[in-house]
Every structure is written in structure tokens, then in C-alpha cells.
Amino acid sequence: MVKPKTEEEIALMRENGILVSKTLAEVGKLVAPGVTTLELNRVAETFIRDHGAIPSFLGYEGFPAALCISVNDVVVHGFPSDYVLKEGDIVSVDCGTYYKGYNGDSAYTFPVGEVDAETRKLLDVTKDSLYRGIQAAVAGNRIGDIGHAVQSYAESFGFSVVRELEGHGIGKKMHENPGVPNYGRKGNGPQLVDGMTICIEPMINAGSKSVYLAKNGWAVHTADHKKSAHYELTVVVRKGQAEQLSTFDFIENNVKF
Ligand code: MG
Ligand code: MG
């Protein structure tokens, strides 16, 4: 049984949500051909610490960085590196904060310079599938309603949904129950309750849904090496309409993509 958060807890989680959202926007300002992914990580870690928070991914089960940075065929959990971003790449940036005893967690996939039309479509559809999922995250629905909304939308464009990874509850711990799969059947799974805080994070592949784990034990790649996109927001389940605790507004209102 998942305990809903109190309004006091939600207020602290909102502070985390704003901070991860602003951090992603800081990173987004730098994304361009010629920049290394380590540089993106450095800027994010500095920004998070300057706001009195802790980058929660750093050291999480041994993860070596503040951000997961996943380029092109890497679905999630890529390590920042000396890889130099180039025109036409896409880069998924996943960011977590720990502040005042609670967690924030969000991700955005940025195009690097101009991307081809199929790639632009993958980004748009993945982000829209997240919003479809959020629309389904209302009290009285079930977890399967979220997954169904994401999956049916993404697949209607011929894209595929990664099965091995999923969204999650969030609170004092970054990963809490329930799991939030990006596929599912309407009316299946745990019931959504007012005050439940969850991260919805579709990982959508341009090609097949198959993935494999890199030798480093972290980076998840598409098996066909086609591109994969990933967007994540933290929301509170409410009656009638979910409330977003994080937002892409800082990214999309400050930087033109
Ligand atoms: Mg995340
Ligand atoms: Mg997450």
C-alpha cells in the first residue's frame, strides 16, 4: 500500500521539482555541437550545489556522476564523458536532486543543432506520450492507465516502448513504490490515490523495443542502435487532473529548440 504524501511533503518536493527543472534548463543552454557531456555534468553539479542541494545520482549504487547523459542509441543511464556532441545528435539528460529530505527527478532529450525530421518526430512523440501519461494520472485510475496512454500514443507513430525500465514513486527516496511502466492495460495495476507522487518517464525507441546493457553495467543501448528518447516529469496524483511538480517551462521558454 502506497501512502500518499502530506501537503507539507509535497511542498518540499515542489522545491526539488523546480530545482531539477531549472538545472535542466541550465544544461540546455549549453547543448551545442562541440560541447562534451562532461561539461554538461559539471555545470549541473555546480548549479545544484550552489542551491544548497545534493546531486542525488552521484554515488547512487555507485553511479559516477550528477547527471545521466545518454546520447543517440543510449536509452538511459549513460555516463558523462569526453564525447563531443555533434550536429544531429540527441542527448537525454536525466537529473536528480536531494533537498530538505526529499527528491526531485526529471529528464529531457535535447536535439544538438539541427536534427533530421524522423528524429524530431521521435522527440515530439516521446514528450507528448509523457503528457498523455500525466493526463491519465488522476485519482481513481490505475497505474496501467498511465502505461496504456503512453504506449498507445507512441506506438501509433510506429515507435516502440522500452519494457526493461519504468517510472516510479518518489519522495524521501528517489525510487519508491509503485513502479510506473510505460506500457500496460487500462484498469490494471495499483490504484492511483490523491497525493501520490510519481515520476512518469517514457523511454521510446525509433526502431525495435529491444535493448541491452553495456559492459560498464549501466548504459542501456537500443539493440538496433537506432535513436531513443526519454522525458521525465514528477507529478502529484490529484482528483480530476495531476499536478506537475517539475516542468519543462524553464527549458522551453528560455531556449529555442
Ligand atoms: Mg530521472
Ligand atoms: Mg526517474
Side-chain angles (χ1 to χ4, degrees):
M1 191 61 196
V2 176
K3 213 171 121 234
K5 303 294 188 287
T6 66
E7 292 306 319
E8 290 74 18
E9 290 182 291
I10 289 167
L12 296 174
M13 294 186 65
R14 195 176 288 112
E15 292 187 45
N16 276 277
I18 297 292
L19 182 56
V20 288
S21 302
K22 287 184 172 174
T23 306
L24 289 174
E26 289 302 307
V27 170
K29 287 178 193 170
L30 287 180
V31 170
V35 175
T36 69
T37 57
L38 263 174
E39 176 64 6
L40 303 182
N41 182 75
R42 191 187 63 75
V43 165
E45 180 167 358
T46 301
F47 189 82
I48 292 166
R49 293 195 191 280
D50 283 352
H51 287 78
I54 292 169
S56 54
F57 294 178
L58 183 62
Y60 183 88
E61 293 182 3
F63 192 81
L67 299 178
C68 296
I69 302 188
S70 307
V71 178
N72 293 337
D73 72 318
V74 182
V75 180
V76 286
H77 302 165
F79 291 176
S81 73
D82 55 8
Y83 176 78
V84 179
L85 294 173
K86 63 179 196 303
E87 184 91 13
D89 284 347
I90 58 172
V91 56
S92 153
V93 178
D94 196 345
C95 178
T97 58
Y98 183 76
Y99 183 59
K100 298 185 179 176
Y102 288 84
N103 283 275
D105 185 10
S106 288
Y108 196 91
T109 303
F110 298 92
V112 182
E114 289 292 316
V115 297
D116 62 61
E118 169 75 4
T119 300
R120 183 70 257 174
K121 190 87 190 164
L122 176 68
L123 298 180
D124 292 343
V125 167
T126 305
K127 188 166 63 174
D128 287 343
S129 77
L130 165 57
Y131 289 127
R132 298 282 176 131
I134 291 173
Q135 282 172 14
V138 293
N141 272 2
R142 291 182 179 272
I143 286 291
D145 292 301
I146 297 173
H148 176 78
V150 170
Q151 179 184 15
S152 58
Y153 186 75
E155 289 181 350
S156 75
F157 293 87
F159 298 134
S160 63
V161 176
V162 174
R163 302 296 203 273
E164 287 81 354
L165 300 134
E166 61 185 20
H168 50 90
I170 182 169
K172 287 182 177 165
K173 288 197 276 185
M174 182 162 59
H175 295 125
E176 298 185 351
N177 286 327
V180 184
N182 296 302
Y183 62 95
R185 284 190 292 160
K186 281 184 179 176
N188 266 27
Q191 191 153 44
L192 299 169
V193 176
D194 193 359
M196 197 185 268
T197 46
I198 57 174
C199 292
I200 305 176
E201 49 179 313
M203 288 150 263
I204 306 297
N205 293 351
S208 107
K209 67 179 188 297
S210 301
V211 297
Y212 70 92
L213 190 62
K215 285 204 184 80
N216 69 14
W218 280 97
V220 176
H221 291 253
T222 58
D224 59 13
H225 294 291
K226 292 187 176 174
K227 289 188 172 94
S228 183
H230 175 219
Y231 292 82
E232 175 179 21
L233 288 168
T234 303
V235 304
V236 190
V237 172
R238 299 290 198 191
K239 296 187 181 95
Q241 187 178 8
E243 176 193 344
Q244 282 183 221
L245 293 181
S246 60
T247 174
F248 299 143
D249 286 354
F250 298 107
I251 296 171
E252 295 176 348
N253 295 341
N254 291 337
V255 185
K256 198 163 174 291
F257 288 110

